[in-house]
Amino acid sequence: MNAIAYLQFSGQAQEALDFYQHALQGTVKKVNFGSIPQDPSVPLSGEEQDMIMESQITFSENILMISDVLPSMQSVLGEVTRGTNVIISLINGDDETNKRYFEELSKGGKILMPISSVPWSSSFGMLIDKFGTMWKFNSDASSFLNRLV
């Protein structure tokens, strides 16, 4: 079993997918809602058919999944809102890769803590990207925990 980050959007999944693919230099697989059989009694609009039903970006042996939540689904699941209740934490990466990802993901976003060397990590930083997703970088997360625990 694995745990991964899964981001949901309200019509911006393709834009987010393109952004993250470029920023993380990842490989993308995706399926749009229009690619699956439709229920003729509840037809999807052309716009909804173009929305991302399921996608994944594979980068540096990691997976990030992204999808849209259809307006009709939001009436059941609740509205999709931006927030900081989810943080994607990239740990144990080398300093150069962290710096490259940080620079790309911060474009159009907000840097909370510039990536730098701190007492617990040679490469630590935090940002909120242009989609409102918070990212934390910590190159020495495992070794730090192992020293203390």
Side-chain angles (χ1 to χ4, degrees), residues 32-45:
N32 296 69
F33 282 98
S35 300
I36 61 169
Q38 302 296 307
D39 180 348
S41 64
V42 187
L44 296 177
S45 69

Side-chain angles (χ1 to χ4, degrees), residues 90-122:
L90 299 180
I91 64 169
N92 305 327
D94 66 82
D95 295 350
E96 285 304 310
T97 300
N98 277 356
K99 184 178 178 183
R100 185 174 68 245
Y101 287 168
F102 190 92
E103 287 173 0
E104 290 296 325
L105 289 167
S106 66
K107 290 179 179 175
K110 178 181 179 182
I111 294 173
L112 302 175
M113 183 174 181
I115 198 154
S116 63
S117 179
V118 293
W120 62 90
S121 177
S122 63

Side-chain angles (χ1 to χ4, degrees), residues 19-27 57-60 100-101 104:
F19 176 75
Y20 294 132
Q21 178 183 20
H22 174 77
L24 301 170
Q25 300 174 356
T27 303
I57 301 172
T58 305
F59 66 100
S60 298
R100 185 174 68 245
Y101 287 168
E104 290 296 325

Side-chain angles (χ1 to χ4, degrees), residues 52-149:
I52 305 294
M53 179 185 171
E54 190 94 309
S55 71
Q56 77 175 34
I57 301 172
T58 305
F59 66 100
S60 298
E61 300 178 37
N62 296 292
I63 295 174
L64 174 64
M65 295 189 77
I66 294 174
S67 69
D68 280 310
V69 179
L70 295 172
S72 59
M73 292 171 61
Q74 290 184 43
S75 64
V76 175
L77 302 174
E79 189 175 323
V80 177
T81 59
R82 288 182 175 217
T84 56
N85 58 329
V86 174
I87 297 175
I88 299 175
S89 184
L90 299 180
I91 64 169
N92 305 327
D94 66 82
D95 295 350
E96 285 304 310
T97 300
N98 277 356
K99 184 178 178 183
R100 185 174 68 245
Y101 287 168
F102 190 92
E103 287 173 0
E104 290 296 325
L105 289 167
S106 66
K107 290 179 179 175
K110 178 181 179 182
I111 294 173
L112 302 175
M113 183 174 181
I115 198 154
S116 63
S117 179
V118 293
W120 62 90
S121 177
S122 63
S123 176
F124 183 89
M126 293 179 70
L127 64 92
I128 297 174
D129 70 28
K130 68 181 185 178
F131 296 103
T133 302
M134 186 178 290
W135 293 78
K136 180 166 86 170
F137 294 77
N138 188 348
S139 63
D140 302 310
S142 292
S143 61
F144 176 72
L145 284 173
N146 289 339
R147 283 193 314 268
L148 297 176
V149 176

